[in-house]
Amino acid sequence: MAERPLVVLAGGTDFYPARVGRAIEEDVLDVTGIAGLRGIAAEADHWRIGAATTWTDVIEAELPPLFAGVKRAAREVGGVQIQNAGTVAGNICNASPAADGVPALLALEASVELRSQRGARILPLGEFLRGNRQTARGGDELVVAIRVPRRGEGSRSHFVKLGARRYLVISVVSVALRLDVDDAGRIAAAGIAIGACSAVPQRLPALEAALLGNPLKPGLGDVVEADHLAPLAPIDDIRGSANYRHDAALTLVKRGLDEMAAAA
Ligand SMILES: Cc1cc2nc3c(=O)[nH]c(=O)nc-3n(C[C@H](O)[C@H](O)[C@H](O)COP(=O)(O)OP(=O)(O)OC[C@H]3O[C@@H](n4cnc5c(N)ncnc54)[C@H](O)[C@@H]3O)c2cc1C
């Protein structure tokens, strides 16, 4: 990659659909055979998801409740065939506004590990994603892993997706929620991210702040106010109007919090 332009290929589930009807003339680097890139490992202060790790690998891995939201997102990425081939890293590198993995990982404050002959660098996911289909990855850099900070046992997450039908759809809105709950059952930290309502999925810092100190009990969804969704900028498209998306995001974030409270 340092010597000449190479297009990275992982599961190919975004790569090939983007090239339908035209010959592939780029030189391609298939990373799926690099065993060291696959798998999820617990490091001292973070979990490391190798770049060739598929959604099925995520579903089948034994992981703490912190990952419940990522696992739910994994089960909703396409169908089983797509989950068997598609990778978590491919999902974030493709940088679609509707990528289900992105809000799920933003809520966990994930970062992206890039390597090149120049060295390694680690970027927070929110900095790695620059816009619709745009990332901060240099042409000579390979994403080798995604890092998820380890958290206490009181940390859990959730993911809620709305599409035109229950499964096998691109998200109209997706909501990822992480709550760190202290020994008294109160929210000590939160990460809330919304997908498909802006060029890059966004966190909702005002809602995260408003949740602090609240008990994880039924009625938690009532904390959410329309103003908390200010960072969103949904568009009208074939899958839904901006107004519909905004309304759906409000409903889904409340529902997600209520579901987390009910599960607790
Ligand atoms: C039928 C169908 C249904 C789908 N449903 C969903 C869905 O519900 N939700 C959803 O979010 N997505 C969905 N997708 C999109 C896709 O499956 C996911 O985004 C998947 O995670 C992509 O991973 P991949 O390994 O196949 O990526 P690839 O197609 O191999 O690559 C995607 C992009 O990332 C780059 N890339 C990949 N790996 C690296 C790396 N290590 N370093 C640098 N660049 C890299 C590639 O060059 C390419 O530009 C669907 C796709 C299909 C075909």
Side-chain angles (χ1 to χ4, degrees):
M1 293 177 84
E3 284 165 7
R4 64 195 172 102
L6 288 171
V7 182
V8 178
L9 174 69
T13 62
D14 278 316
F15 177 96
Y16 288 111
R19 289 164 176 79
V20 171
R22 62 184 169 95
I24 295 171
E25 283 164 358
E26 310 127 295
D27 286 340
V28 173
L29 176 71
D30 182 340
V31 296
T32 51
I34 306 173
L37 287 184
R38 189 160 181 179
I40 304 174
E43 307 284 345
D45 64 349
H46 64 272
W47 295 86
R48 193 167 184 277
I49 305 172
T53 306
T54 65
W55 291 112
T56 299
D57 294 337
V58 171
I59 293 165
E60 291 178 350
E62 261 189 52
L63 294 166
L66 172 64
F67 280 91
V70 179
K71 282 188 174 244
R72 280 181 68 106
R75 286 194 192 91
E76 300 210 30
V77 174
V80 170
Q81 297 93 331
I82 296 295
Q83 293 158 16
N84 284 342
T87 61
V88 185
N91 190 250
I92 63 162
C93 289
N94 192 55
S96 160
D100 289 321
V102 171
L105 290 164
L106 275 177
L108 303 192
E109 299 184 322
S111 48
V112 181
E113 190 180 327
L114 296 134
R115 296 266 179 135
S116 68
Q117 277 192 2
R118 292 179 287 135
R121 60 182 184 134
I122 294 159
L123 289 180
L125 180 56
E127 285 177 33
F128 175 77
L129 295 167
R130 288 262 175 88
N132 183 358
R133 313 268 171 189
Q134 289 167 13
T135 73
R137 185 177 71 87
D140 62 341
E141 287 181 309
L142 185 66
V143 169
V144 293
I146 295 149
R147 294 178 172 210
V148 174
R150 294 181 78 133
R151 289 176 189 276
E153 285 183 4
S155 195
R156 76 277 318 262
S157 69
H158 191 42
F159 179 82
V160 188
K161 168 170 171 171
L162 174 72
R165 58 185 180 207
R166 185 65 191 86
Y167 280 104
L168 283 167
V169 277
I170 296 178
S171 288
V172 175
V173 175
S174 61
V175 174
L177 313 102
R178 170 191 47 91
L179 299 176
D180 298 353
V181 181
D182 65 19
D183 293 341
R186 293 187 180 273
I187 296 168
I192 312 289
I194 311 286
C197 286
S198 41
V200 173
Q202 292 292 314
R203 281 180 67 173
L204 302 181
L207 174 57
E208 292 171 5
L211 285 166
L212 298 186
N214 282 284
L216 181 55
K217 285 206 173 133
L220 184 62
D222 295 342
V223 172
V224 185
E225 292 172 9
D227 286 353
H228 293 151
L229 271 58
L232 306 183
I235 57 163
D236 295 322
D237 71 6
I238 187 172
R239 285 188 282 278
S241 67
N243 281 341
Y244 176 73
R245 282 196 158 92
H246 202 275
D247 196 48
L250 191 62
T251 301
L252 288 192
V253 76
K254 286 178 186 220
R255 188 178 298 169
L257 288 167
D258 285 334
E259 286 175 356
M260 289 185 85

